[in-house]
Coordinates of all heavy atoms in Angstrom, one line a residue:
M292 N -36.7 127.0 120.7 CA -35.3 127.1 120.3 C -34.6 125.8 120.6 O -34.9 125.2 121.6 CB -34.6 128.2 121.1 CG -33.2 128.4 120.7 SD -32.4 129.8 121.4 CE -31.8 129.1 122.9
Q293 N -33.8 125.4 119.7 CA -33.0 124.2 119.8 C -31.5 124.6 119.6 O -31.2 125.0 118.5 CB -33.5 123.1 118.8 CG -32.8 121.8 119.0 CD -33.3 120.8 118.0 OE1 -33.9 121.1 117.1 NE2 -32.9 119.5 118.3
H294 N -30.7 124.4 120.6 CA -29.3 124.7 120.5 C -28.5 123.4 120.3 O -28.7 122.5 121.1 CB -28.8 125.4 121.8 CG -27.3 125.8 121.8 ND1 -26.4 125.1 122.5 CD2 -26.7 126.7 121.1 CE1 -25.2 125.6 122.3 NE2 -25.3 126.6 121.4
I295 N -27.7 123.3 119.3 CA -27.0 122.1 119.0 C -25.5 122.4 119.0 O -25.0 123.2 118.3 CB -27.4 121.6 117.6 CG1 -28.9 121.3 117.5 CG2 -26.5 120.3 117.2 CD1 -29.4 121.0 116.1
Q296 N -24.8 121.6 119.9 CA -23.4 121.7 120.0 C -22.8 120.6 119.2 O -23.1 119.4 119.4 CB -22.9 121.6 121.5 CG -21.5 121.9 121.7 CD -21.1 123.3 121.4 OE1 -21.8 124.2 121.7 NE2 -19.9 123.5 120.9
V297 N -21.9 120.9 118.3 CA -21.3 119.8 117.4 C -19.9 119.5 117.9 O -19.0 120.4 117.9 CB -21.3 120.2 115.9 CG1 -20.6 119.2 115.1 CG2 -22.7 120.5 115.5
E298 N -19.7 118.3 118.4 CA -18.4 117.9 118.9 C -17.4 117.5 117.8 O -17.8 117.0 116.8 CB -18.5 116.7 119.9 CG -19.4 117.0 121.1 CD -19.5 115.8 122.0 OE1 -18.4 115.2 122.2 OE2 -20.6 115.5 122.4
Q299 N -16.1 117.8 118.0 CA -15.0 117.3 117.1 C -14.7 115.9 117.6 O -14.3 115.6 118.7 CB -13.8 118.2 117.3 CG -14.0 119.6 116.8 CD -14.3 119.7 115.4 OE1 -13.7 119.0 114.5 NE2 -15.3 120.5 115.0
L300 N -14.9 114.9 116.6 CA -14.8 113.5 117.0 C -13.6 112.8 116.3 O -13.4 111.7 116.6 CB -16.1 112.8 116.7 CG -17.3 113.3 117.5 CD1 -18.6 112.7 117.0 CD2 -17.1 113.0 119.0
L301 N -13.0 113.5 115.4 CA -11.9 112.8 114.6 C -10.7 112.4 115.4 O -9.9 111.5 115.1 CB -11.5 113.6 113.4 CG -12.5 113.7 112.3 CD1 -11.9 114.4 111.1 CD2 -13.0 112.3 111.8
Q302 N -10.5 113.1 116.6 CA -9.4 112.8 117.4 C -9.6 111.4 118.1 O -8.7 110.7 118.5 CB -9.1 113.8 118.5 CG -10.1 114.0 119.6 CD -11.2 114.9 119.2 OE1 -11.4 115.3 118.0 NE2 -12.1 115.3 120.2
D303 N -10.9 111.0 118.2 CA -11.2 109.7 118.9 C -11.4 108.6 117.9 O -11.2 107.4 118.3 CB -12.5 109.9 119.6 CG -12.4 110.9 120.7 OD1 -11.3 111.1 121.3 OD2 -13.4 111.6 121.0
K304 N -11.7 108.8 116.6 CA -11.9 107.8 115.7 C -11.8 108.3 114.3 O -11.7 109.5 114.1 CB -13.3 107.2 115.9 CG -14.5 108.2 115.8 CD -15.8 107.5 116.0 CE -17.0 108.5 115.9 NZ -18.2 107.8 116.0
V305 N -11.9 107.4 113.3 CA -11.9 107.8 111.9 C -13.3 108.1 111.6 O -14.2 108.2 112.4 CB -11.3 106.7 111.0 CG1 -9.8 106.6 111.3 CG2 -12.0 105.4 111.2
K306 N -13.6 108.2 110.3 CA -14.9 108.7 109.8 C -16.1 108.7 110.8 O -16.3 107.7 111.5 CB -15.3 107.8 108.6 CG -16.5 108.2 107.8 CD -17.0 107.2 106.8 CE -16.0 106.6 105.9 NZ -16.5 105.8 104.8
H307 N -16.8 109.8 110.8 CA -18.0 109.9 111.7 C -19.1 110.5 110.9 O -19.0 111.4 110.2 CB -17.7 110.8 112.9 CG -18.9 111.2 113.6 ND1 -19.6 110.4 114.5 CD2 -19.7 112.3 113.6 CE1 -20.6 111.0 115.0 NE2 -20.7 112.2 114.4
A308 N -20.3 109.9 111.1 CA -21.5 110.4 110.5 C -22.6 110.1 111.5 O -22.8 109.0 112.0 CB -21.8 109.8 109.2
G309 N -23.3 111.2 111.9 CA -24.4 111.0 112.8 C -25.4 112.1 112.8 O -25.1 113.2 112.5
K310 N -26.6 111.8 113.2 CA -27.7 112.8 113.3 C -27.5 113.6 114.6 O -27.3 113.1 115.7 CB -29.0 112.1 113.4 CG -30.2 112.9 113.2 CD -31.4 112.0 113.0 CE -32.7 112.6 113.4 NZ -33.8 111.7 113.2
V311 N -27.5 115.0 114.4 CA -27.3 115.8 115.6 C -28.6 116.6 115.9 O -28.6 117.3 117.0 CB -26.1 116.8 115.4 CG1 -24.8 116.1 115.3 CG2 -26.3 117.7 114.2
G312 N -29.6 116.5 115.1 CA -30.8 117.2 115.4 C -31.9 116.9 114.3 O -31.6 116.4 113.3
A313 N -33.1 117.4 114.6 CA -34.2 117.2 113.7 C -35.3 118.2 114.1 O -35.4 118.7 115.2 CB -34.8 115.7 113.8
G314 N -36.1 118.4 113.1 CA -37.3 119.3 113.3 C -38.4 118.8 112.4 O -38.3 117.8 111.7
T315 N -39.4 119.6 112.4 CA -40.6 119.2 111.5 C -40.1 119.3 110.1 O -39.8 120.4 109.6 CB -41.8 120.1 111.8 OG1 -42.1 120.1 113.2 CG2 -42.9 119.7 110.9
G316 N -40.0 118.2 109.4 CA -39.6 118.2 108.0 C -38.2 118.2 107.6 O -37.8 118.2 106.5
Y317 N -37.3 118.1 108.6 CA -35.8 118.0 108.3 C -35.0 117.3 109.3 O -35.4 117.2 110.5 CB -35.3 119.4 108.1 CG -35.2 120.2 109.3 CD1 -34.1 120.2 110.2 CD2 -36.3 121.0 109.7 CE1 -34.1 121.0 111.3 CE2 -36.3 121.8 110.9 CZ -35.2 121.7 111.7 OH -35.1 122.5 112.8
D318 N -33.9 116.7 108.9 CA -32.9 116.1 109.8 C -31.6 116.9 109.6 O -31.3 117.4 108.5 CB -32.6 114.7 109.4 CG -33.8 113.8 109.8 OD1 -34.4 114.0 110.8 OD2 -34.0 112.8 109.0
V319 N -30.8 117.0 110.7 CA -29.5 117.6 110.6 C -28.4 116.6 110.9 O -28.5 116.0 112.0 CB -29.4 118.8 111.6 CG1 -28.0 119.5 111.5 CG2 -30.5 119.9 111.3
M320 N -27.5 116.4 110.0 CA -26.4 115.4 110.2 C -25.1 116.1 110.3 O -24.9 117.2 109.7 CB -26.4 114.5 109.0 CG -27.6 113.8 108.6 SD -28.0 112.4 109.7 CE -26.6 111.3 109.3
N321 N -24.2 115.5 111.0 CA -22.8 116.0 111.1 C -21.9 114.9 110.5 O -22.0 113.7 111.0 CB -22.4 116.3 112.5 CG -20.9 116.6 112.7 OD1 -20.2 115.8 113.2 ND2 -20.5 117.8 112.2
I322 N -21.1 115.2 109.6 CA -20.2 114.2 109.0 C -18.7 114.8 109.1 O -18.5 115.9 108.7 CB -20.5 114.0 107.5 CG1 -21.9 113.4 107.4 CG2 -19.5 113.0 106.9 CD1 -22.4 113.2 105.9
Q323 N -17.9 113.9 109.7 CA -16.5 114.3 109.8 C -15.6 113.2 109.2 O -15.8 112.0 109.4 CB -16.1 114.4 111.3 CG -16.9 115.6 112.0 CD -16.6 115.6 113.5 OE1 -15.6 115.2 114.0 NE2 -17.5 116.3 114.2
L324 N -14.7 113.6 108.3 CA -13.9 112.7 107.5 C -12.4 113.2 107.6 O -12.1 114.4 107.6 CB -14.3 112.7 106.0 CG -15.7 112.3 105.7 CD1 -16.0 112.5 104.2 CD2 -16.0 110.9 106.1
R325 N -11.5 112.2 107.6 CA -10.1 112.5 107.5 C -9.8 112.6 106.0 O -10.5 112.0 105.2 CB -9.3 111.4 108.1 CG -9.4 111.4 109.7 CD -8.3 110.5 110.3 NE -8.6 110.2 111.7 CZ -8.3 111.1 112.7 NH1 -7.8 112.3 112.4 NH2 -8.5 110.8 113.9
A326 N -8.7 113.3 105.7 CA -8.3 113.4 104.3 C -8.2 112.0 103.6 O -7.7 111.0 104.2 CB -7.0 114.1 104.2
G327 N -8.8 111.8 102.4 CA -8.8 110.5 101.7 C -10.0 109.6 102.0 O -10.3 108.7 101.3
E328 N -10.7 109.9 103.1 CA -11.9 109.0 103.4 C -13.0 109.5 102.5 O -13.1 110.6 102.1 CB -12.3 109.2 104.9 CG -11.3 108.5 105.8 CD -11.7 108.6 107.3 OE1 -12.4 109.6 107.7 OE2 -11.4 107.7 108.0
S329 N -14.0 108.6 102.3 CA -15.1 108.9 101.4 C -16.4 108.3 101.9 O -16.4 107.4 102.8 CB -14.7 108.3 100.0 OG -14.6 106.9 100.1
V330 N -17.4 108.7 101.3 CA -18.8 108.2 101.5 C -19.3 107.7 100.1 O -19.2 108.5 99.2 CB -19.7 109.2 102.1 CG1 -21.1 108.7 102.2 CG2 -19.2 109.7 103.5
A331 N -19.7 106.5 100.0 CA -20.1 105.9 98.8 C -21.4 106.6 98.2 O -22.1 107.3 98.9 CB -20.4 104.4 99.0
E332 N -21.6 106.4 96.9 CA -22.7 107.0 96.2 C -24.0 106.6 96.9 O -24.3 105.5 97.2 CB -22.7 106.6 94.8 CG -23.8 107.4 94.0 CD -23.7 107.0 92.5 OE1 -24.1 105.9 92.1 OE2 -23.3 107.9 91.7
H333 N -24.9 107.6 97.0 CA -26.2 107.5 97.6 C -27.1 108.6 97.2 O -26.6 109.5 96.5 CB -26.1 107.4 99.1 CG -25.6 108.6 99.8 ND1 -24.2 108.9 99.8 CD2 -26.2 109.6 100.4 CE1 -24.0 110.1 100.4 NE2 -25.2 110.5 100.8
S334 N -28.3 108.6 97.6 CA -29.3 109.7 97.3 C -30.2 109.9 98.5 O -30.3 109.1 99.4 CB -30.0 109.5 96.0 OG -30.9 108.4 96.1
A335 N -30.9 111.0 98.5 CA -31.9 111.3 99.5 C -33.2 111.7 98.8 O -33.2 112.3 97.7 CB -31.4 112.5 100.4
P336 N -34.3 111.3 99.4 CA -35.6 111.5 98.8 C -36.0 113.0 98.7 O -36.8 113.4 97.8 CB -36.6 110.8 99.6 CG -36.0 110.6 100.9 CD -34.5 110.6 100.7
G337 N -35.5 113.8 99.6 CA -35.8 115.3 99.6 C -34.6 116.1 99.3 O -33.5 115.6 99.0
E338 N -34.8 117.4 99.2 CA -33.7 118.3 99.0 C -32.7 118.3 100.1 O -33.0 117.9 101.2 CB -34.2 119.8 98.9 CG -35.0 120.0 97.7 CD -35.6 121.4 97.6 OE1 -36.3 121.8 98.6 OE2 -35.4 122.1 96.7
V339 N -31.4 118.6 99.8 CA -30.3 118.5 100.8 C -29.5 119.8 100.7 O -29.1 120.2 99.5 CB -29.4 117.3 100.5 CG1 -28.2 117.2 101.5 CG2 -30.2 116.0 100.5
L340 N -29.1 120.4 101.8 CA -28.2 121.5 101.9 C -27.0 121.0 102.6 O -27.1 120.5 103.7 CB -28.9 122.7 102.6 CG -28.0 123.8 102.9 CD1 -27.5 124.5 101.7 CD2 -28.7 124.8 103.9
I341 N -25.8 121.3 102.0 CA -24.6 120.9 102.6 C -23.7 122.1 102.9 O -23.5 122.9 102.0 CB -23.8 119.9 101.7 CG1 -24.7 118.6 101.5 CG2 -22.5 119.5 102.3 CD1 -24.4 118.0 100.2
V342 N -23.2 122.2 104.2 CA -22.4 123.3 104.6 C -21.1 122.7 105.1 O -21.0 121.9 106.0 CB -23.1 124.1 105.8 CG1 -22.2 125.2 106.3 CG2 -24.5 124.5 105.4
C343 N -20.0 123.2 104.5 CA -18.7 122.7 104.9 C -18.2 123.7 106.0 O -18.0 124.9 105.7 CB -17.7 122.8 103.7 SG -16.0 122.2 104.1
R344 N -18.0 123.2 107.2 CA -17.6 124.0 108.3 C -16.0 124.1 108.4 O -15.5 125.0 109.0 CB -18.1 123.4 109.6 CG -19.6 123.6 109.7 CD -20.2 123.0 111.0 NE -19.3 122.7 112.1 CZ -19.3 123.4 113.3 NH1 -20.1 124.4 113.5 NH2 -18.4 123.0 114.2
K345 N -15.4 123.0 107.9 CA -13.9 123.0 108.1 C -13.3 122.1 107.0 O -13.9 121.1 106.6 CB -13.6 122.3 109.5 CG -12.2 122.1 109.8 CD -12.0 121.4 111.1 CE -10.6 120.9 111.3 NZ -10.4 120.1 112.4
G346 N -12.2 122.4 106.5 CA -11.4 121.6 105.5 C -12.0 121.8 104.1 O -12.7 122.7 103.8
R347 N -11.7 120.7 103.3 CA -12.2 120.7 101.9 C -12.7 119.3 101.6 O -12.1 118.3 102.0 CB -11.1 121.1 101.0 CG -10.7 122.5 101.1 CD -9.7 122.9 100.0 NE -8.6 122.0 99.9 CZ -7.9 121.7 98.8 NH1 -8.3 122.1 97.7 NH2 -6.9 120.8 98.9
V348 N -13.8 119.3 100.8 CA -14.4 118.0 100.5 C -14.9 118.1 99.0 O -15.4 119.1 98.6 CB -15.6 117.7 101.5 CG1 -16.7 118.7 101.4 CG2 -16.2 116.3 101.2
K349 N -14.7 117.0 98.3 CA -15.1 116.9 96.9 C -16.3 116.1 96.8 O -16.4 115.0 97.2 CB -13.9 116.3 96.1 CG -14.1 116.4 94.6 CD -13.0 115.8 93.9 CE -11.6 116.4 94.2 NZ -10.5 115.9 93.4
F350 N -17.4 116.6 96.1 CA -18.6 115.9 95.8 C -18.7 115.6 94.4 O -18.3 116.3 93.5 CB -19.8 116.8 96.2 CG -20.2 116.8 97.6 CD1 -19.5 117.6 98.5 CD2 -21.2 116.0 98.1 CE1 -19.8 117.6 99.8 CE2 -21.5 116.0 99.4 CZ -20.8 116.8 100.3
H351 N -19.1 114.4 94.1 CA -19.4 113.9 92.7 C -20.9 113.8 92.7 O -21.5 112.9 93.4 CB -18.7 112.6 92.5 CG -17.3 112.6 92.6 ND1 -16.4 113.1 91.6 CD2 -16.5 112.4 93.7 CE1 -15.2 113.1 92.1 NE2 -15.2 112.7 93.3
V352 N -21.6 114.6 91.8 CA -23.0 114.6 91.8 C -23.5 114.4 90.3 O -23.2 115.3 89.5 CB -23.6 116.0 92.3 CG1 -25.1 116.0 92.3 CG2 -23.1 116.3 93.7
E353 N -24.1 113.3 90.0 CA -24.6 113.0 88.7 C -23.6 113.4 87.6 O -24.0 114.1 86.6 CB -25.9 113.8 88.5 CG -27.0 113.5 89.5 CD -27.8 112.2 89.2 OE1 -27.8 111.8 88.0 OE2 -28.4 111.7 90.1
G354 N -22.4 112.9 87.7 CA -21.4 113.2 86.7 C -20.7 114.5 86.8 O -19.8 114.8 86.0
Q355 N -21.0 115.4 87.7 CA -20.4 116.6 87.9 C -19.6 116.6 89.2 O -19.9 115.8 90.1 CB -21.4 117.8 87.9 CG -22.2 117.9 86.7 CD -23.1 119.1 86.8 OE1 -22.8 120.2 87.3 NE2 -24.3 118.9 86.3
E356 N -18.6 117.5 89.3 CA -17.7 117.6 90.5 C -17.8 119.0 91.1 O -17.8 120.0 90.4 CB -16.3 117.2 90.1 CG -15.4 117.0 91.3 CD -14.0 116.6 90.8 OE1 -13.9 115.4 90.4 OE2 -13.1 117.4 90.8
A357 N -17.9 119.0 92.4 CA -17.9 120.3 93.1 C -17.0 120.1 94.4 O -17.2 119.2 95.1 CB -19.3 120.7 93.5
E358 N -16.1 121.1 94.6 CA -15.3 121.0 95.8 C -15.7 122.1 96.7 O -15.8 123.3 96.3 CB -13.8 121.2 95.4 CG -12.9 121.0 96.6 CD -11.4 120.9 96.2 OE1 -11.1 120.1 95.3 OE2 -10.6 121.6 96.8
L359 N -16.0 121.8 98.0 CA -16.4 122.7 99.0 C -15.4 123.0 100.0 O -14.6 122.1 100.4 CB -17.7 122.2 99.7 CG -18.9 121.8 99.0 CD1 -20.0 121.3 99.9 CD2 -19.4 122.9 98.1
D360 N -15.4 124.3 100.5 CA -14.5 124.7 101.6 C -15.5 125.5 102.5 O -16.7 125.5 102.3 CB -13.3 125.4 101.2 CG -13.6 126.7 100.4 OD1 -14.8 127.2 100.5 OD2 -12.7 127.2 99.8
A361 N -14.9 126.1 103.5 CA -15.7 126.8 104.5 C -16.5 128.0 103.9 O -17.3 128.6 104.6 CB -14.9 127.2 105.7
N362 N -16.2 128.4 102.7 CA -16.9 129.5 102.0 C -18.0 129.1 101.1 O -18.4 129.9 100.3 CB -15.9 130.4 101.3 CG -14.9 131.0 102.2 OD1 -15.2 131.5 103.3 ND2 -13.6 130.8 101.9
A363 N -18.3 127.8 101.1 CA -19.2 127.3 100.0 C -20.4 126.4 100.6 O -20.2 125.8 101.7 CB -18.5 126.5 99.0
L364 N -21.5 126.4 99.9 CA -22.6 125.6 100.2 C -22.9 124.8 99.0 O -22.6 125.2 97.9 CB -23.9 126.4 100.5 CG -23.8 127.4 101.6 CD1 -25.1 128.3 101.7 CD2 -23.6 126.8 103.0
L365 N -23.5 123.6 99.2 CA -24.0 122.8 98.0 C -25.4 122.4 98.3 O -25.8 122.0 99.4 CB -23.1 121.5 97.9 CG -23.5 120.6 96.8 CD1 -23.2 121.3 95.4 CD2 -22.6 119.3 96.9
M366 N -26.3 122.6 97.3 CA -27.7 122.3 97.4 C -27.9 121.1 96.3 O -27.6 121.3 95.2 CB -28.5 123.5 97.1 CG -28.4 124.5 98.1 SD -29.2 126.1 97.8 CE -30.9 125.6 97.8
L367 N -28.6 120.1 96.8 CA -28.9 118.9 96.0 C -30.4 118.8 95.8 O -31.1 119.0 96.8 CB -28.3 117.6 96.6 CG -26.8 117.6 96.8 CD1 -26.5 116.3 97.5 CD2 -26.1 117.7 95.4
E368 N -30.8 118.5 94.6 CA -32.2 118.2 94.4 C -32.6 116.8 94.9 O -31.7 116.0 95.1 CB -32.5 118.3 92.9 CG -32.2 119.7 92.3 CD -33.2 120.7 92.8 OE1 -34.4 120.4 93.1 OE2 -32.7 121.9 93.0
P369 N -33.9 116.6 95.1 CA -34.3 115.2 95.5 C -33.8 114.1 94.6 O -33.8 114.3 93.3 CB -35.8 115.3 95.5 CG -36.1 116.8 95.7 CD -35.0 117.5 95.0
S370 N -33.3 113.1 95.1 CA -32.9 111.9 94.4 C -31.6 112.0 93.6 O -31.3 111.1 92.9 CB -34.0 111.3 93.5 OG -35.1 111.0 94.3
E371 N -30.9 113.1 93.7 CA -29.6 113.3 93.0 C -28.6 112.3 93.6 O -28.4 112.4 94.8 CB -29.1 114.7 93.0 CG -29.7 115.6 92.0 CD -28.9 116.9 91.9 OE1 -28.8 117.6 92.9 OE2 -28.5 117.2 90.8
K372 N -28.0 111.5 92.8 CA -27.0 110.6 93.3 C -25.7 111.3 93.5 O -25.3 112.1 92.7 CB -26.8 109.4 92.3 CG -28.0 108.5 92.3 CD -27.7 107.3 91.4 CE -28.9 106.4 91.4 NZ -28.7 105.3 90.5
H373 N -25.1 111.1 94.7 CA -23.8 111.8 95.0 C -22.9 110.9 95.9 O -23.4 110.1 96.6 CB -24.1 113.1 95.6 CG -24.9 113.0 96.9 ND1 -26.3 112.8 96.9 CD2 -24.6 113.1 98.2 CE1 -26.7 112.8 98.2 NE2 -25.7 112.9 99.0
S374 N -21.7 111.2 95.8 CA -20.7 110.6 96.7 C -19.7 111.8 97.1 O -19.8 112.8 96.5 CB -19.9 109.5 96.0 OG -19.2 110.0 94.9
L375 N -18.9 111.5 98.1 CA -18.0 112.6 98.5 C -16.7 112.0 99.0 O -16.6 110.8 99.5 CB -18.6 113.4 99.6 CG -19.2 112.7 100.9 CD1 -18.8 113.5 102.1 CD2 -20.7 112.6 100.7
E376 N -15.6 112.8 98.9 CA -14.3 112.4 99.4 C -13.6 113.6 100.0 O -13.6 114.7 99.5 CB -13.5 111.9 98.2 CG -12.1 111.5 98.7 CD -11.2 111.0 97.5 OE1 -11.7 110.9 96.4 OE2 -10.0 110.8 97.7
A377 N -13.0 113.4 101.2 CA -12.3 114.5 101.9 C -11.0 114.8 101.2 O -10.2 113.9 101.1 CB -12.1 114.1 103.4
V378 N -10.8 116.0 100.8 CA -9.5 116.4 100.2 C -8.6 116.7 101.4 O -7.4 116.4 101.4 CB -9.7 117.7 99.4 CG1 -8.4 118.2 98.8 CG2 -10.7 117.4 98.2
E379 N -9.1 117.3 102.5 CA -8.4 117.6 103.7 C -9.4 117.1 104.8 O -10.5 116.8 104.6 CB -8.2 119.1 104.0 CG -7.5 119.8 102.9 CD -7.5 121.3 103.1 OE1 -8.2 121.9 104.0 OE2 -6.7 122.0 102.4
D380 N -8.8 116.9 106.0 CA -9.8 116.6 107.2 C -10.9 117.6 107.1 O -10.6 118.8 106.9 CB -9.0 116.7 108.5 CG -8.0 115.6 108.8 OD1 -7.9 114.7 107.9 OD2 -7.4 115.6 109.8
C381 N -12.1 117.1 107.2 CA -13.2 118.1 107.0 C -14.4 117.7 107.9 O -14.5 116.6 108.5 CB -13.7 118.0 105.6 SG -14.5 116.5 105.1
E382 N -15.2 118.7 108.1 CA -16.5 118.6 108.8 C -17.6 119.2 108.0 O -17.4 120.4 107.6 CB -16.4 119.2 110.2 CG -17.7 119.1 111.0 CD -17.6 119.7 112.4 OE1 -16.5 119.9 112.9 OE2 -18.7 120.1 112.9
I383 N -18.6 118.5 107.8 CA -19.8 119.1 107.0 C -21.1 118.9 107.8 O -21.2 117.9 108.6 CB -19.9 118.5 105.6 CG1 -20.1 117.0 105.6 CG2 -18.7 118.9 104.8 CD1 -20.4 116.5 104.2
I384 N -22.0 119.9 107.7 CA -23.3 119.8 108.2 C -24.2 119.6 107.0 O -24.2 120.2 106.0 CB -23.7 121.1 109.0 CG1 -22.7 121.3 110.1 CG2 -25.1 121.0 109.4 CD1 -22.8 120.3 111.2
V385 N -25.1 118.6 107.2 CA -26.1 118.2 106.1 C -27.5 118.4 106.7 O -27.8 117.8 107.7 CB -25.9 116.8 105.7 CG1 -26.9 116.4 104.6 CG2 -24.4 116.5 105.2
V386 N -28.3 119.2 106.0 CA -29.7 119.4 106.3 C -30.5 118.7 105.2 O -30.5 119.1 104.1 CB -30.0 120.9 106.4 CG1 -31.5 121.1 106.8 CG2 -29.1 121.6 107.4
R387 N -31.2 117.6 105.6 CA -32.0 116.8 104.7 C -33.5 117.1 104.9 O -33.9 116.9 106.0 CB -31.7 115.3 104.9 CG -30.4 114.9 104.5 CD -30.3 113.4 104.6 NE -30.8 112.9 105.9 CZ -30.6 111.7 106.3 NH1 -29.9 110.8 105.7 NH2 -31.2 111.3 107.5
L388 N -34.1 117.6 103.9 CA -35.5 117.8 104.0 C -36.2 116.4 103.9 O -35.9 115.7 103.0 CB -36.1 118.8 102.9 CG -35.5 120.2 103.0 CD1 -36.1 121.0 101.9 CD2 -35.8 120.8 104.4
K389 N -37.2 116.2 104.7 CA -37.9 114.9 104.7 C -39.0 115.1 103.6 O -39.6 116.2 103.4 CB -38.6 114.6 106.0 CG -37.6 114.4 107.1 CD -38.3 114.2 108.4 CE -37.3 114.0 109.6 NZ -38.0 113.9 110.9
K390 N -39.2 114.1 102.8 CA -40.2 114.1 101.7 C -41.5 113.7 102.2 O -41.7 112.9 103.1 CB -39.7 113.1 100.6 CG -40.5 113.2 99.4 CD -39.7 113.8 98.3 CE -40.5 113.6 97.0 NZ -40.6 114.8 96.3

């Protein structure tokens, strides 16, 4: 068993992105953004699952747009180019499968 505690870091600094865990075949990232902050377009070699824990965040994926809140998940296929922008202060958990 691996228990991961995710700290709230936006009170200490602006944009935060960091690895909080890993297992065989996957990495777990925590991303925290203030409203208006963004992450530039990028892709991952494996599948990606994104869980919005707090706030709202807008994803741009291969010409399509999806807005996530705490009731939504987003799944990306390998190599799908995507960027994101916080609509509200947000925290997302990203599970990236290693290829």
Side-chain angles (χ1 to χ4, degrees):
M292 179 172 91
Q293 184 179 16
H294 180 253
I295 300 171
Q296 187 68 34
V297 179
E298 297 180 45
Q299 296 295 317
L300 298 169
L301 289 183
Q302 69 273 12
D303 298 329
K304 60 180 181 177
V305 295
K306 187 188 315 187
H307 166 77
K310 189 167 156 181
V311 294
T315 304
Y317 67 90
D318 290 323
V319 180
M320 305 283 295
N321 174 251
I322 299 174
Q323 297 176 23
L324 303 172
R325 293 193 190 279
E328 291 182 327
S329 61
V330 174
E332 186 176 71
H333 61 283
S334 64
E338 293 176 302
V339 178
L340 171 65
I341 299 153
V342 180
C343 182
R344 291 180 14 115
K345 176 184 170 190
R347 291 186 310 145
V348 60
K349 189 181 302 184
F350 278 80
H351 301 277
V352 183
E353 300 280 340
Q355 298 182 40
E356 190 174 286
E358 189 170 307
L359 302 183
D360 60 18
N362 297 313
L364 304 173
L365 181 64
M366 295 173 64
L367 300 176
E368 296 296 323
S370 301
E371 275 192 305
K372 291 183 180 179
H373 58 281
S374 63
L375 55 139
E376 180 181 354
V378 176
E379 301 173 351
D380 288 1
C381 68
E382 179 181 334
I383 61 175
I384 298 295
V385 177
V386 180
R387 294 186 311 196
L388 296 182
K389 295 177 184 175
K390 188 113 171 130

